Amino acid sequence: MMENILQVSQLSKRFGKKQALSNVEFTVGKGRIVGLIGPNGAGKTTIMKAILGLFSYEDGQIKIDNQPVSETSHQALAKVGALIEYPAIYPYLSGLDHLKLNATGDDVTNRIDRLVKQMKMDSYITRKAKNYSLGMKQKLGIALALINQPELVILDEPMNGLDPQATKDLRDVIIEQAAAGTAFLISSHILSELEKLVSEVVIIDHGEVIKQATIANLNQDQADYIILKTSDDEQAQIILQQAGIAVMKAPGVVFNQTATVTLAVVLKTLIQANIDVFDVLHQGEDLEASLLSILHNETKEG
C-alpha cells in the first residue's frame, strides 16, 4: 500500500453562517500528483489554506507525514512548499535574491542554479522583481515553493499568467520532481492542462468532496463514444441495430463502446454487410466532460 504524505479527515470550516467545508476527506500519496478540481467557490483554496495552517477549523484533522497540522501546530509544514493565490514578492529584490533568502539547507547555490535553468528563468533572474511580468512573477512563486525540495507541494492555479511554453516547462518540472518522490496537490481551472499532469483528482463542490478517483477510473466511468464514417451511414445504423447494437441518431454512426460492444465487433458486422468504413473517431470524454457529468449527476441525486 502506498504511504500518504497528506491525509485530510472530516475537515469542516464555517465562516460566520457560511459552511465553507463539510466533512472533507482525501489523501495524497507520496510522489503522486493530485488535482483538486471543482467550480469556482467550491472550497479549493480554503482547503489548501487549511492544510497550510492558515486558519483554525471546527472539526476534523489534517496530517502531513502522520504529523497533525493546525493553526497552532506547524512543525510538519517544514516539509511543504506552497503557492496560494499570488506569490509574496518584494519589488526591489531580484528573483535571485528571493531564492537566496528562502533557500535553506545544503548546496543552496547549485539547487538555485538548477531550478532557475529548469524553469527557464535565466534571462531575468537578476533583474528587480518590480519589472517582472505576471508570468515571470508566477514562475518565481513556483520556484520559491520548490526551492527547499519539499515532500509535498501545494499549488493554487499555478498556470495563471503562463504562456503555453512556460506551462509546458512547468509541467516537465512537476513530473520530474514527482518521479523523484515529491507529492503535488494542484488546483486549476485549466482542466485540459491539469489532465496532462495529474494521476488522480479530488472533486469538490459546495465545500464537500464528491469523489476521489484516478484519471483512468474517472474516464472509465464515463461514456466512450466511437464515431464511424461509412459508405452508407443510414444502412450501417440499420444493420447495427438489427445486430442488437445501440446506435445514436447523429451524423455518422455513433455508438458507445463497452466490454461486449467493441470497435472490432462493430467493424466486423459492417464489413460482413459490405459497408466500407472510411474513418474512425474516438470520442472518449476529457476531464472537463467527466467533471461536468459527475457534478450534473450529483445535482440530480441531491
Side-chain angles (χ1 to χ4, degrees):
M1 197 177 117
M2 183 184 23
E3 259 191 284
N4 292 322
I5 181 74
L6 172 68
Q7 195 159 4
V8 178
S9 315
Q10 297 188 311
L11 180 67
S12 293
K13 172 68 185 169
R14 294 182 77 86
F15 291 110
K17 288 183 179 170
K18 186 182 185 304
Q19 186 76 40
L21 303 175
S22 187
N23 288 328
V24 168
E25 296 215 7
F26 67 94
T27 55
V28 175
K30 292 188 174 182
R32 301 287 282 176
I33 306 174
V34 176
L36 194 57
I37 62 175
N40 279 347
K44 302 185 294 290
T45 303
T46 308
I47 288 170
M48 290 179 151
K49 286 181 171 176
I51 293 165
L52 295 170
L54 295 176
F55 51 67
S56 62
Y57 42 88
E58 286 83 52
D59 293 303
Q61 190 171 46
I62 296 167
K63 282 185 173 180
I64 291 170
D65 214 8
N66 278 325
Q67 285 181 281
V69 173
S70 67
E71 197 180 25
T72 52
S73 176
H74 282 152
Q75 292 85 325
L77 293 175
K79 300 172 180 179
V80 180
L83 172 60
I84 302 275
E85 290 170 341
Y86 301 100
I89 286 174
Y90 302 100
Y92 290 95
L93 292 182
S94 70
L96 189 57
D97 293 333
H98 281 83
L99 290 167
K100 284 179 178 170
L101 268 176
N102 284 272
T104 57
D106 307 328
D107 206 17
V108 164
T109 309
N110 283 337
R111 271 175 24 222
I112 290 174
D113 287 349
R114 195 166 65 242
L115 191 55
V116 165
K117 280 193 181 67
Q118 276 184 312
M119 300 283 294
K120 303 209 167 98
M121 298 163 71
D122 333 43
S123 61
Y124 57 84
I125 198 68
T126 53
R127 279 162 44 194
K128 283 182 181 169
K130 70 185 176 89
N131 301 316
Y132 283 14
S133 68
L134 177 63
M136 290 173 182
K137 286 179 182 166
Q138 189 71 2
K139 275 186 169 187
L140 178 57
I142 293 161
L144 289 168
L146 297 173
I147 191 59
N148 290 322
Q149 298 172 305
E151 290 176 44
L152 170 65
V153 178
I154 294 175
L155 300 174
D156 188 16
E157 297 290 350
M159 287 100 173
N160 259 359
L162 298 187
D163 62 29
Q165 183 58 51
T167 300
K168 188 198 173 298
D169 296 341
L170 172 61
R171 192 164 68 234
D172 293 345
V173 170
I174 290 172
I175 289 168
E176 185 183 318
Q177 297 228 358
T182 305
F184 286 83
L185 179 65
I186 304 173
S187 89
S188 177
H189 66 280
I190 310 170
L191 297 186
S192 56
E193 279 306 326
L194 207 54
E195 191 167 22
K196 294 171 190 165
L197 261 180
V198 300
S199 41
E200 57 193 286
V201 292
V202 175
I203 301 173
I204 309 280
D205 192 25
H206 293 100
E208 293 182 38
V209 172
I210 292 168
K211 197 177 183 92
Q212 175 163 11
T214 63
I215 291 286
N217 284 351
L218 201 63
N219 288 342
Q220 205 176 359
D221 290 348
Q222 305 305 322
D224 185 10
Y225 297 110
I226 304 271
I227 303 167
L228 303 178
K229 290 180 182 165
T230 70
S231 52
D232 187 343
D233 289 347
E234 259 178 66
Q235 188 58 24
Q237 288 177 358
I238 292 163
I239 286 158
L240 291 174
Q241 278 163 341
Q242 284 169 346
I245 295 166
V247 183
M248 285 167 218
K249 296 238 175 291
V253 179
V254 184
F255 67 95
N256 184 11
Q257 185 165 240
T258 64
T260 48
V261 179
T262 61
L263 178 60
V265 167
V266 170
L267 291 178
K268 192 174 167 191
T269 309
L270 293 176
I271 288 160
Q272 281 172 345
N274 292 322
I275 288 178
D276 295 325
V277 177
F278 300 136
D279 198 5
V280 178
L281 283 170
H282 191 275
Q283 201 63 15
E285 285 196 278
D286 60 11
L287 184 54
E288 191 149 18
S290 299
L291 173 64
L292 291 171
S293 158
I294 287 163
L295 291 174
H296 177 66
N297 289 340
E298 189 66 23
T299 312
K300 277 198 304 195
E301 286 159 21

